[in-house]
Amino acid sequence: MTAARGVLLCPITMGVLLQSLFILILLLLGSCLHPAAAFPKGCYPSEEEGLKTFRCSNAQLTEVPRDIPNDTNKLYLDFNQIPFLPHDAFRDLPLLLELDLSHNAITRIESGAFQGLAEHLHSLDLSSNRLVSVSKDAFSNLKTKVNLSNNPWLCDCRLQELIRAVELVADSSGGIVCDSSTQEEHVGKAFLQVIADTDFCNVYKKTTDIAMLVTMFGWFAMVISYLVYYVRQNQEDARRHLEYLKSLPSKQRRSEESSTISTVV
């Protein structure tokens, strides 16, 4: 009886062990095939119109996440609190077509932030951020259409160079408004309306040229003043010395006069 029970329990135990091992293998495979657990909270992958999409909209992000699948075609990082875009922020996304960074707190874009996206990216949304001034070099080699509307722009030569270097999204140019400007009368006006009558870069060049001329004139005036002072001082010293010589006896005076004349010459 006991032997029969042992024979019966043995296959049951083996069955339980095999079942546990099978479940463990499934869990390990699942963690490798579905890395979604590594995604930031509020982010998830999906497929839209045949394009691989990664959404992190309104996920309270304070930086660009690093665990984005590198085959992503559309990336949504809108409505977060991202303050700046560092160098190589999107370097591992060679197939990215669309990038939405609207409604963040971006104040700074480092040169090379979009490095690696030039080949495929065709839509970049930076609207409704806190951009005041951005170098055109930040968008170097990009052929994408860019939305720069609803930012507190400083209207100056730098913004003028940026606008000329990028292709704006259709109907977005009216949203690029001067929040501040090197010329007070431009505040509150659309930038493209302003540069129709004002060349900020030409004004800047003229201002720089005038400043250089003023500086050079100042140095020239200082040199002339010093030379005049030096000549007058030497003349005064010579006059005093001659008057002193006149008061001496004639023989000693002739000797020192010749010495003074040779010195002056």
Side-chain angles (χ1 to χ4, degrees), residues 45-55 73-74 76 97-98 122:
S46 64
E47 190 164 324
E48 300 176 6
E49 301 176 351
L51 297 175
K52 294 188 176 181
T53 303
F54 194 75
R55 286 190 175 273
N73 303 127
K74 299 171 72 174
Y76 292 88
L97 300 174
E98 298 181 19
H122 63 70

Side-chain angles (χ1 to χ4, degrees), residues 92-146:
D92 297 324
L93 302 173
L95 303 179
L96 198 61
L97 300 174
E98 298 181 19
L99 176 57
D100 189 346
L101 289 159
S102 63
H103 297 90
N104 273 278
I106 300 171
T107 59
R108 180 165 55 92
I109 301 176
E110 291 186 356
S111 179
F114 303 113
Q115 188 170 323
L117 302 182
E119 188 173 348
H120 294 95
L121 191 69
H122 63 70
S123 177
L124 173 60
D125 194 344
L126 287 164
S127 63
S128 300
N129 276 279
R130 299 176 186 173
L131 295 171
V132 175
S133 183
V134 179
S135 171
K136 65 177 181 178
D137 296 336
F139 299 86
S140 179
N141 298 322
L142 283 182
K143 301 173 183 176
T144 181
K145 292 183 178 180
V146 185

Side-chain angles (χ1 to χ4, degrees), residues 206-217:
K206 286 181 178 179
T207 304
T208 305
D209 290 344
I210 291 172
M212 290 180 64
L213 286 173
V214 170
T215 303
M216 290 175 64
F217 179 78

Side-chain angles (χ1 to χ4, degrees), residues 17-263:
L17 288 173
L18 288 173
Q19 185 178 7
S20 300
L21 182 61
F22 181 70
I23 292 172
L24 181 60
I25 291 172
L26 286 178
L27 290 173
L28 289 173
L29 287 174
S31 64
C32 294
L33 295 175
H34 304 284
F39 297 152
K41 184 179 179 181
C43 298
Y44 62 92
S46 64
E47 190 164 324
E48 300 176 6
E49 301 176 351
L51 297 175
K52 294 188 176 181
T53 303
F54 194 75
R55 286 190 175 273
C56 288
S57 302
N58 201 18
Q60 299 183 354
L61 298 176
T62 56
E63 62 181 4
V64 176
R66 289 295 182 185
D67 299 317
I68 302 172
N70 58 13
D71 59 351
T72 298
N73 303 127
K74 299 171 72 174
L75 176 59
Y76 292 88
L77 298 173
D78 51 318
F79 290 95
N80 286 289
Q81 291 94 45
I82 299 172
F84 78 102
L85 301 178
H87 181 77
D88 284 339
F90 307 98
R91 65 179 177 181
D92 297 324
L93 302 173
L95 303 179
L96 198 61
L97 300 174
E98 298 181 19
L99 176 57
D100 189 346
L101 289 159
S102 63
H103 297 90
N104 273 278
I106 300 171
T107 59
R108 180 165 55 92
I109 301 176
E110 291 186 356
S111 179
F114 303 113
Q115 188 170 323
L117 302 182
E119 188 173 348
H120 294 95
L121 191 69
H122 63 70
S123 177
L124 173 60
D125 194 344
L126 287 164
S127 63
S128 300
N129 276 279
R130 299 176 186 173
L131 295 171
V132 175
S133 183
V134 179
S135 171
K136 65 177 181 178
D137 296 336
F139 299 86
S140 179
N141 298 322
L142 283 182
K143 301 173 183 176
T144 181
K145 292 183 178 180
V146 185
N147 189 344
L148 298 172
S149 61
N150 299 321
N151 282 280
W153 290 108
L154 165 63
C155 290
D156 60 358
C157 179
R158 203 177 194 200
L159 180 58
Q160 182 172 314
E161 289 180 338
L162 172 62
I163 298 299
R164 288 176 175 173
V166 301
E167 182 181 357
L168 297 176
V169 171
D171 301 323
S172 69
S173 59
I176 303 175
V177 178
C178 301
D179 187 73
S180 58
S181 176
T182 53
Q183 299 181 36
E184 191 65 28
E185 65 270 19
H186 298 148
V187 175
K189 295 181 180 179
F191 184 67
L192 291 191
Q193 176 188 347
V194 170
I195 60 173
D197 302 316
T198 304
D199 187 339
F200 284 95
C201 295
N202 191 40
V203 169
Y204 175 78
K205 184 177 182 300
K206 286 181 178 179
T207 304
T208 305
D209 290 344
I210 291 172
M212 290 180 64
L213 286 173
V214 170
T215 303
M216 290 175 64
F217 179 78
W219 280 106
F220 182 73
M222 288 177 61
V223 171
I224 294 298
S225 299
Y226 175 77
L227 289 175
V228 170
Y229 170 78
Y230 180 79
V231 170
R232 287 182 177 177
Q233 187 67 31
N234 283 351
Q235 287 179 343
E236 184 66 21
D237 290 343
R239 185 184 63 79
R240 289 175 182 173
H241 192 63
L242 288 173
E243 288 180 353
Y244 167 73
L245 292 177
K246 290 177 181 179
S247 64
L248 296 176
S250 58
K251 187 176 181 180
Q252 182 180 357
R253 185 174 59 205
R254 281 194 300 270
S255 175
E256 294 206 9
E257 279 180 352
S258 60
S259 177
T260 300
I261 291 170
S262 63
T263 301

